């Protein structure tokens, strides 16, 4: 009975967030959103989700704090190095045939994925012809991404990931270290547009040649997954590329027939010519 009441409270809570703030989490996978909301409830000292809802509806500052629970912030530079190695070795030769490129990092979180792409494209001679769109619904995450400052103790892992991805330089060439933090060179953001964008409610804003959206779809229900993949298909130019997370696939979406598997193990897809 208690679980049933909690589920009702959560549905009402998500509806309230949508009506008041226009953030739509109603189609997120229930098990995942429930786990995170229960963590938030405990963290903010609330007896129930309804009490948490009351706080959020009457205090807009609470929403910013809550977004760190509602949106997943787990990332690292060159995460899953084989993914970036496949891009470097298999996708880049195709991208080099374009006079100009647009790359969309959807759900960019705190920016690690973006900097990985910016570094890879610089190493492969594509940076100057590329415009990157880094989007997320979490304003605080976007602020951190734009700042490009990370804990120095993360650099060892980032450096190893970069090496395994086929990096052609030393990662330390791209950041300065001071006071326990690593600050990535602002030149890496020279061709970047940071933007608030929701895969749940917003439309496509540009034609792109590459979309990387990793470890986002796993938190969506089937309808939202279909909506997101439809956005990617609409955004991508003919023969453009889509990259997903290691546990994600297009196989069960309504739009799988618009893509060919380009590198199966690394979850890289290419939009079909007639799609």
């Amino acid at each position: 009975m208690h679980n049933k009441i909690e589920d009702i409270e959560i549905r009402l809570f998500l509806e309230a967030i949508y009506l008041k703030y226009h953030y739509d989490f109603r189609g997120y996978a229930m098990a995942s959103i429930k786990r995170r909301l229960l963590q938030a409830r405990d963290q903010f000292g609330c007896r129930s989700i309804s009490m948490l809802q009351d706080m959020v509806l009457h205090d807009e500052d609470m929403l910013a704090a809550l977004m760190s629970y509602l949106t997943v912030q787990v990332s690292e530079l060159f995460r899953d190095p084989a993914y970036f190695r496949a891009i470097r070795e298999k996708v880049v030769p195709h991208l080099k045939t374009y006079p100009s490129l647009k790359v969309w990092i959807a759900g960019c979180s705190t920016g690690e994925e973006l900097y990985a792409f910016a570094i890879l494209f610089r190493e492969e001679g594509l940076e100057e012809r590329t415009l990157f769109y880094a989007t997320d619904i979490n304003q605080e995450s976007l602020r951190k991404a734009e700042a490009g400052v990370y804990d120095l103790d993360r650099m060892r892992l980032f450096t190893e990931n970069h090496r395994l991805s086929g990096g052609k330089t030393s990662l330390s060439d791209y950041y300065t270290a001071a006071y326990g933090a690593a600050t990535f060179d602002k030149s890496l953001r020279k061709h970047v547009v940071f933007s608030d964008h929701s895969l749940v409610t917003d439309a496509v804003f540009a034609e792109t040649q590459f979309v990387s959206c990793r470890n986002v779809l796993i938190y969506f229900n089937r309808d939202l997954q279909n909506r997101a993949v439809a956005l990617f298909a609409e955004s991508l130019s003919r023969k453009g590329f889509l990259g997903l997370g290691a546990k994600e696939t297009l196989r069960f979406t309504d739009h799988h027939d618009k893509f060919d598997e380009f590198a199966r193990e690394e979850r890289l897809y290419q939009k079909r010519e007639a799609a």
Side-chain angles (χ1 to χ4, degrees), residues 20-215:
K20 173 75 186 286
Y21 298 109
H22 310 296
Y23 285 107
D24 195 351
F25 295 97
R26 296 172 299 175
Y28 278 50
M30 185 62 172
S32 173
I33 206 83
K34 181 176 182 176
R35 182 173 63 254
R36 285 179 269 155
L37 279 176
L38 292 177
Q39 289 173 351
R41 178 201 66 187
D42 295 343
Q43 183 63 37
F44 293 112
C46 297
R47 293 189 309 275
S48 65
I49 298 294
S50 296
M51 186 175 174
L52 184 66
Q53 176 182 309
D54 184 67
M55 291 172 67
V56 174
L57 286 180
H58 293 94
D59 182 358
E60 293 194 7
D61 290 339
M62 271 288 294
L63 180 69
L66 191 67
M67 286 294 277
S68 65
Y69 290 92
L70 293 176
T71 58
V72 180
Q73 309 299 319
V74 179
S75 189
E76 61 192 50
L77 215 73
F78 293 96
R79 181 180 183 179
D80 301 325
Y83 174 77
F84 288 97
R85 182 177 282 276
I87 292 171
R88 195 185 293 270
E89 295 175 354
K90 300 176 183 179
V91 178
V92 162
H94 293 268
L95 297 182
K96 284 185 174 179
T97 66
Y98 291 92
S100 64
L101 295 163
K102 290 180 180 176
V103 175
W104 180 12
I105 314 297
C108 72
S109 186
T110 46
E112 291 91 333
E113 184 98 345
L114 166 69
Y115 289 104
F117 269 90
I119 289 167
L120 189 154
F121 274 48
R122 178 175 292 186
E123 291 178 345
E124 296 298 333
L126 289 172
E127 181 187 24
E128 290 303 317
R129 72 177 91 166
T130 303
L131 180 62
F132 296 97
Y133 295 98
T135 67
D136 204 275
I137 61 170
N138 188 329
Q139 295 281 358
E140 179 63 16
S141 291
L142 284 172
R143 187 192 65 75
K144 289 179 180 177
E146 196 161 2
V149 180
Y150 304 100
D151 290 341
L152 194 57
D153 60 13
R154 302 181 73 196
M155 290 304 114
R156 182 177 293 180
L157 172 62
F158 291 179
T159 299
E160 178 65 4
N161 284 352
H162 174 242
R163 185 187 68 79
L164 292 172
S165 76
K168 296 181 176 179
T169 56
S170 170
L171 188 67
S172 61
D173 292 344
Y174 304 105
Y175 67 84
T176 55
Y179 306 108
T183 303
F184 277 86
D185 196 308
K186 63 182 180 182
S187 68
L188 291 169
R189 301 187 288 277
K190 186 169 57 173
H191 300 283
V192 181
V193 175
F194 294 93
S195 180
D196 182 351
H197 181 276
S198 171
L199 295 173
V200 178
T201 56
D202 293 336
V204 168
F205 53 86
E207 183 180 67
T208 58
Q209 284 70 49
F210 196 114
V211 175
S212 189
C213 181
R214 301 203 296 151
N215 308 305

